Amino acid sequence: MLLRLWRSMTILLVALLQGLAFAHLLERPAKLQYDGALYLTLQKTLYVQWGPPNVGGILEPAAIVATLILAFLLRKDRQAFWLTVAAGIALLLAFPVIFFWLVAPANEVFLATTPDSAPANWMEMRARWELGHAIRFVLQFFALGTLLLSLILNGRKG
């Protein structure tokens, strides 16, 4: 029973995380059309809830920790264990690796400016930020898919 509850909670957390990443992906085409002032305004206002101490800043570490604990709980079921480990690796690549490599440096630039004083490299930072979030979406999508596959395959056993 504990395993079922933990697995359900983990999948729910990763699905919510995937929702945040999908929102970034859906916004991308429109945001690439915006000038520097509007883009920087959105970065400083629209995404407040994505980072700490708000829901997004709590959700991502919670999803990662829950997935890693789930892998430990599934250690005796070889197939489910390795699928869950793959999900955990994908989530760990999305955060902290991709986040701190591509997204965080752009966030620092955006937060240090005002919409009226866009830095000369704002388009380069925008490209890094958008690419980082697209990669994170793919990694989180993979993680959610492998967790669901583990659940489906486990259901066929019993």
Side-chain angles (χ1 to χ4, degrees):
M1 182 65 161
L2 173 66
L3 179 60
R4 285 184 185 172
L5 286 172
W6 195 266
R7 181 181 254 163
S8 297
M9 181 194 68
T10 301
I11 291 171
L12 180 60
L13 287 170
V14 175
L16 288 169
L17 183 61
Q18 178 68 66
L20 294 177
F22 193 44
H24 283 312
L25 206 61
L26 292 175
E27 296 163 353
R28 188 175 193 266
K31 285 177 55 188
L32 290 177
Q33 305 295 319
Y34 299 156
D35 64 17
L38 180 54
Y39 189 86
L40 290 171
T41 298
L42 289 175
Q43 291 301 111
K44 293 173 92 109
T45 59
L46 186 62
Y47 300 117
V48 173
Q49 296 299 317
W50 265 257
N54 298 303
V55 68
I58 296 165
L59 183 59
E60 190 153 24
I64 293 168
V65 169
T67 301
L68 296 176
I69 291 171
L70 180 61
F72 176 77
L73 294 173
L74 291 169
R75 67 192 179 280
K76 293 180 182 174
D77 181 340
R78 198 173 175 98
Q79 187 177 44
F81 170 77
W82 285 111
L83 286 168
T84 306
V85 166
I89 290 169
L91 292 173
L92 287 167
L93 286 172
F95 182 88
V97 176
I98 297 299
F99 180 82
F100 285 110
W101 176 40
L102 293 173
V103 178
N107 282 344
E108 287 180 31
V109 169
F110 296 148
L111 291 174
T113 62
T114 64
D116 298 329
S117 65
N121 68 340
W122 81 269
M123 290 178 79
E124 177 190 334
M125 290 294 107
R126 176 184 69 183
R128 286 179 64 121
W129 194 92
E130 298 292 344
L131 175 63
H133 280 296
I135 293 169
R136 285 166 44 79
F137 168 81
V138 170
L139 290 166
Q140 292 167 357
F141 187 79
F142 173 83
L144 181 59
T146 57
L147 289 171
L148 290 171
L149 181 60
S150 170
L151 177 66
I152 291 166
L153 293 175
N154 188 258
R156 289 184 179 172
K157 292 179 185 177

